[in-house]
Amino acid sequence: MKSILLIGLGRFGRHIALHLNQLGHQVMAVDNVEERVDAVLPFVTNAQIGDSTNADFLESLGIRNYDVCIVAIGNNFQSSLETASLLKELGARLVVSRAARDVQAKFLLRNGADEVVYPEKQLAKWTAIRYSADHILDYIELDEEHAMFEIPVPADWVGRTIGQLDIRKKYGINIMGIKKNGRLELSVSPEMALESGNTMLVLGKNKNIQKCFRI
């Protein structure tokens, strides 16, 4: 369990608050709009109305006590930038900020943010990859070259074992898990036979996965 400061409670921030609550973390939520703060009260440990560009207000939150500070402000980049800078000045351990464009990310990283997320950009890429191929069920980008895909077992692989297919040697791809009836099995062995209706979690370079599965 981590102690997390979440600043900015628009749609993106509310979703973060909800999922952090489900994961069992302690969350202090902050926004300058009372209605937004009220909306997340059922999902957070504590919440305050305040201006995150005010150094005195931020300092009163005890910034050094949080494992992560997430700046989810999306409609005011100036406020996001000032908030990230102040958090780092006040001793924040890890500052994660939201950006919409590369130029914003550069400014944030130079002025306090340790890491930057692109919710719209990342979702757009996921949507393009997920729905441009008939047999991709999910996709997680690990870096510019590597990703994990959830893919149905190809018809000509059914009944064969992972060892027989040997896609690690042929394509440099690892089968990390098999999903059966909605349950994920991570204890994958070369002797495991693939069944119709199952899906696989495969990990490797994008170009190798695209070649192997004709994506």
Side-chain angles (χ1 to χ4, degrees), residues 4-203:
I4 298 172
L5 174 62
L6 174 61
I7 300 175
L9 301 175
R11 285 178 294 179
F12 181 55
R14 287 198 302 274
H15 282 295
I16 293 176
L18 176 61
H19 289 295
L20 288 174
N21 175 66
Q22 292 173 345
L23 293 168
H25 297 295
Q26 292 185 334
V27 180
M28 163 64 84
V30 172
D31 199 285
N32 60 359
V33 178
E34 183 177 359
E35 290 78 8
R36 292 178 178 176
V37 173
D38 291 341
V40 301
L41 284 175
F43 313 116
V44 298
T45 311
N46 203 347
Q48 287 198 32
I49 304 166
D51 179 5
S52 62
T53 64
N54 184 301
D56 292 335
F57 171 71
L58 280 186
E59 190 169 15
S60 72
L61 300 175
I63 299 304
R64 290 182 176 84
N65 296 325
Y66 297 101
D67 297 302
V68 184
C69 296
I70 301 175
V71 183
I73 299 171
N75 59 354
N76 189 327
F77 179 67
Q78 183 65 32
S79 293
S80 178
L81 187 64
E82 291 182 24
T83 299
S85 179
L86 284 172
L87 286 170
K88 188 54 67 174
E89 288 178 11
L90 292 170
R93 302 180 197 177
L94 176 63
V95 178
V96 180
S97 294
R98 173 184 183 176
R101 300 189 300 275
D102 289 340
V103 65
Q104 292 182 352
K106 290 179 180 179
F107 277 109
L108 287 165
L109 291 170
R110 290 174 183 172
N111 292 275
D114 297 296
E115 297 183 21
V116 170
V117 295
Y118 294 82
E120 291 87 357
K121 182 179 179 179
Q122 290 163 345
L123 180 58
K125 186 171 185 179
W126 180 91
T127 302
I129 292 173
R130 164 65 177 84
Y131 292 102
S132 63
D134 295 333
H135 55 296
I136 295 177
L137 302 178
D138 204 352
Y139 161 83
I140 301 173
E141 184 180 79
L142 303 179
D143 61 25
E144 291 184 357
E145 293 188 354
H146 299 83
M148 183 179 291
F149 287 76
E150 182 180 352
I151 298 174
V153 173
D156 56 349
W157 289 17
V158 173
R160 303 177 68 185
T161 67
I162 292 174
Q164 289 172 335
L165 293 167
D166 200 16
I167 65 170
R168 182 174 185 178
K169 183 178 180 180
K170 292 178 181 177
Y171 296 98
I173 297 170
N174 291 299
I175 298 178
M176 307 302 295
I178 302 294
K179 188 178 287 187
K180 302 179 181 180
N181 300 319
R183 290 190 173 186
L184 181 61
E185 174 60 60
L186 295 175
S187 299
V188 177
S189 68
E191 295 77 26
M192 180 179 287
L194 300 175
E195 301 174 11
S196 178
N198 293 348
T199 63
M200 307 177 297
L201 295 183
V202 296
L203 172 67

